[in-house]
Amino acid sequence: MSDRHKILLIDGMSFLFRAFYASAWTGGYRQTSQGVYTNAVYGFTKMMLDYIDLTRPSHVAVGWDVAARETLVRSQWYDGYKSNRAAPPEELIPQFDLVKEVTDAFSVPNLGCPGYEGDDVLGTLSTMLAEEGHQVVIATGDYDSLQLISGQVSVKVLKNGGKHEHYTPESLLATKGIKPEQVVDIKALMGDASDCIPGCPGIGEKTAHKLISEHQNLDNLYSRLDACTPKLREKLEQNRDQVYLSQKLATIIRDVPISYDHDEARWEYEDGRVREKLEELEFGRTLLSRI
């Protein structure tokens, strides 16, 4: 038997928030008879099982954010990082712990590290596992993870309606005209309002794509500023430090000090333990039938 495995890495926060808002917009705050909110956990569990059915992995693990914004490594580099994030809805807050009880019942490791984000956990794991010769599939709602793609690592980006986009190095080049290592440099130029990454004022997505396509990377671009129009050159020169800071903020960290046990991530679980947890949450026959 080959010792090379297929590992599904799930972006926990991405799944949980998507599951919450998919039901919340209809007013569907699912609750148990005791009044415990479970709509996000129910949706998360269904999505996790859907992606396991889709990818047929031998191993599964979930990466989580485990720190407040103020304590993130990136907040130390840049005080404004994610400063626009509102507090999560009160119906969702109790479900952060509850969802980990469900994944734990499935014997799926919940992995996180103070100061780092789920992306960093997945970046560290995917890089380590790929180096060991395993095949890795990352399931996330975040296009930032496209920088992690390689011959051993593919990314499924969640879309509305239960759909997703599947990316490999070849499909990324075919659909977006870029390589995985160029994802960060494009974001460094255009910035990202959702994460408060400043980028270069006056440069949008189209110009950022064009510049990186022409020059391959940020360092080449800055060594060839004479090739740019005077107006563009001025913008890039004036905001050089901010652009390189944005590059640093956008780069997924791949050496997070996390503890990962490959055997514990094997996709095996005790039916009775899972059934007991799902019945406790009153998840009903549809989900129970999948156990």
Side-chain angles (χ1 to χ4, degrees), residues 178-195:
I178 56 172
K179 300 171 185 175
E181 60 269 23
Q182 295 175 316
V183 170
V184 170
D185 286 355
I186 289 170
K187 191 166 183 176
L189 290 171
M190 62 181 275
D192 183 351
S194 66
D195 287 344

Side-chain angles (χ1 to χ4, degrees), residues 43 58 249:
S58 57
L249 293 170

